[in-house]
Amino acid sequence: MVDALRVIRDDGSTDPRLDPKLPEKEALRLYRGMCLQRILDSRMLALQRQGRIGFYGPSLGQEAAIVGGAIAMQPDDWIVPQYREPGAALVRGMPLKDLLCQLIGNSEDPVHGRQMPCHYVYRKGNYLSISSPVGTQLPHAVGIAWAMRLRREAHAVLVFFGDGATSTADFHSAMNFAGVFRAPVVFLCNNNQWAISVPVAKQTASGTLAEKAAAYGFDGIRVDGMDALAVYRATREAADRARDSGGPTMVEAVTYRLGPHSSSDDPSRYRDEPEVASWRARDPLVRFRRYLEHAGLWDDAQEARLEQEIGDEITHAVQEAERAGPPSPDTLFTDVYAQMPGSLREQMQGLGVRGR
Ligand SMILES: Cc1ncc(C[n+]2csc(CCOP(=O)(O)OP(=O)(O)O)c2C)c(N)n1
Ligand SMILES: [Mg+2]
């Protein structure tokens, strides 16, 4: 494997030349965000199996590459997700209940039950709606970044995508436009080794994904995606440069999808357990916990308290969300036209609902 930037060593100490020196509060916020995403995943997969939500895309193994990247951005920056980053929205302040209501698609779902399940959005946190078609979020992110340049706003955009997305035409269009127009974007590629059942070796003939950036005229950097501080450092530097008119950067986080692609997938049908086990041994939560312990910031009692707290928060959010009823039928018609056309009004009346 080509060397990737790494900050946290096996014993929890850090490379002093690379350590971003996170303040204690930030380090704990990052760890909490990763633990929340981990626990949320197992709870949501269980809810899906019980038929209480329709669909879920977990991110087991990718917590550092997601939360480490999100936390490196400023609140006025934008985050453009693929579909595995609830941790990035939650760390920006998205209420868990809003996420749960979207997963159920009920009357309190911020998008009124109209999106596909597990396609949440957090407008207040500048977190764009999820893109299911692989790669389509990349030109959207570059568009937002270009708008920032035109408005002379010194912000940046962080866009998440997978190794599979690097094979799409949208990846090329987005990288090319961003390079030519120096759009303030950080392209964070979560190379989790698989695109459902297609391994990364069948996705590209390039040695790395990061090196693709060179063809578009900007830097690509490869980081250990199981190391939250490495992802944080690279993303932070790239975002600072972007805000400072230095143009885009691609960050390839080398990571692994330890779980299924989604609640509809069974990875044992296409990959071998020894491969999974070798990556499980590099668990990003264990690595970061070792760092916290080494710095004297964490112990077993704090870990137990955090797990309990997160578990209770999720239970509470599920209870609250399950109390809301289904969306009212008039939401089939609202929010589309400023002036509802007569044909729609007729259908709405036919359904026996009143317009708003
Ligand atoms: C344009 C398009 N083609 C195919 C699919 C089906 N599909 C959904 S996710 C996925 C794999 C994407 O892999 P990757 O980009 O590596 O992201 P990961 O799921 O590994 O995070 C595919 C092929 C799709 N959603 N959109
Ligand atoms: Mg992938």
Side-chain angles (χ1 to χ4, degrees):
M1 193 174 89
V2 180
D3 273 354
L5 176 87
R6 190 176 165 179
V7 176
I8 307 175
R9 302 184 182 120
D10 287 339
D11 66 356
S13 65
T14 55
D15 181 333
R17 291 162 309 154
L18 300 173
D19 190 336
K21 305 236 174 344
L22 276 190
E24 178 180 335
K25 213 170 134 208
E26 273 304 270
L28 295 178
R29 191 163 84 94
L30 173 47
Y31 187 56
R32 190 184 203 288
M34 291 197 290
C35 291
L36 173 58
Q37 181 163 295
R38 170 78 49 103
I39 297 171
L40 183 74
D41 274 4
S42 66
R43 296 283 300 271
M44 295 306 107
L45 284 174
L47 280 194
Q48 195 277 337
R49 291 297 186 255
Q50 294 162 18
R52 289 156 74 185
I53 61 172
F55 177 82
Y56 190 74
S59 34
L60 191 72
Q62 296 178 229
E63 295 88 351
I66 293 166
V67 185
I71 233 166
M73 303 303 287
Q74 303 285 330
D76 284 335
D77 295 333
W78 275 77
I79 292 188
V80 179
Q82 50 157 342
Y83 40 72
R84 265 187 221 299
E85 298 85 16
L90 294 169
V91 88
R92 292 212 135 199
M94 182 183 188
L96 260 178
K97 184 187 166 192
D98 285 5
L99 177 66
L100 261 299
C101 286
Q102 204 289 318
L103 290 171
I104 297 170
N106 64 25
S107 59
E108 292 185 40
D109 167 12
V111 285
H112 303 167
R114 297 190 185 111
Q115 255 282 23
M116 295 200 291
C118 203
H119 283 57
Y120 38 88
V121 53
Y122 180 43
R123 177 64 190 86
K124 261 212 265 172
N126 291 349
Y127 182 99
L128 206 70
S129 188
I130 283 170
S131 285
S132 238
V134 171
T136 50
Q137 75 277 22
L138 290 156
H140 299 165
V142 175
I144 294 171
W146 181 235
M148 287 170 171
R149 284 297 295 277
L150 294 178
R151 293 175 178 180
R152 299 187 190 288
E153 294 169 354
H155 308 312
V157 180
L158 172 66
V159 57
F160 287 101
F161 57 106
D163 41 294
T166 63
S167 299
T168 64
D170 277 338
F171 170 76
H172 167 76
S173 310
M175 295 278 284
N176 192 53
F177 191 102
V180 171
F181 292 96
R182 315 296 294 158
V185 192
V186 183
F187 291 94
L188 179 37
C189 179
N190 251 308
N191 177 3
N192 63 7
Q193 315 300 319
W194 291 91
I196 312 186
S197 56
V198 178
V200 69
K202 292 224 174 101
Q203 206 66 248
T204 183
S206 303
T208 71
L209 298 177
E211 72 193 51
K212 291 176 187 275
Y216 300 98
F218 54 91
D219 286 347
I221 176 169
R222 197 165 216 241
V223 305
D224 181 341
M226 310 306 244
D227 178 344
L229 290 188
V231 178
Y232 176 91
R233 187 194 164 92
T235 309
R236 173 96 197 249
E237 271 181 10
D240 286 349
R241 195 164 44 244
R243 278 187 226 98
D244 206 21
S245 306
T249 304
M250 177 171 167
V251 178
E252 175 189 358
V254 182
T255 173
Y256 195 79
R257 197 195 76 220
L258 288 170
H261 171 75
S262 73
S263 51
S264 312
D265 177 44
D266 172 8
S268 69
R269 296 176 66 130
Y270 54 80
R271 65 185 190 187
D272 297 328
E273 180 51 29
E275 174 185 302
V276 184
S278 74
W279 284 89
R280 203 178 288 120
R282 299 166 57 184
D283 189 321
L285 266 63
V286 173
R287 175 102 58 100
F288 200 76
R289 185 180 165 175
R290 246 182 245 144
Y291 155 75
L292 290 179
E293 285 170 347
H294 190 271
L297 299 174
W298 204 248
D299 59 26
D300 288 349
Q302 280 164 295
E303 180 80 14
R305 234 182 356 257
L306 180 66
E307 267 180 32
Q308 176 78 38
E309 203 181 281
I310 290 175
D312 290 349
E313 261 177 48
I314 297 173
T315 302
H316 184 69
V318 172
Q319 284 169 348
E320 290 272 295
E322 286 190 330
R323 227 169 264 147
S328 79
D330 71 333
T331 54
L332 283 170
F333 302 93
T334 50
D335 293 343
V336 179
Y337 294 98
Q339 297 271 308
M340 194 183 291
S343 55
L344 271 190
R345 191 163 293 283
E346 229 173 80
Q347 289 182 29
M348 191 170 76
Q349 281 156 0
L351 196 68
V353 296
R354 278 189 306 115
R356 280 195 257 180

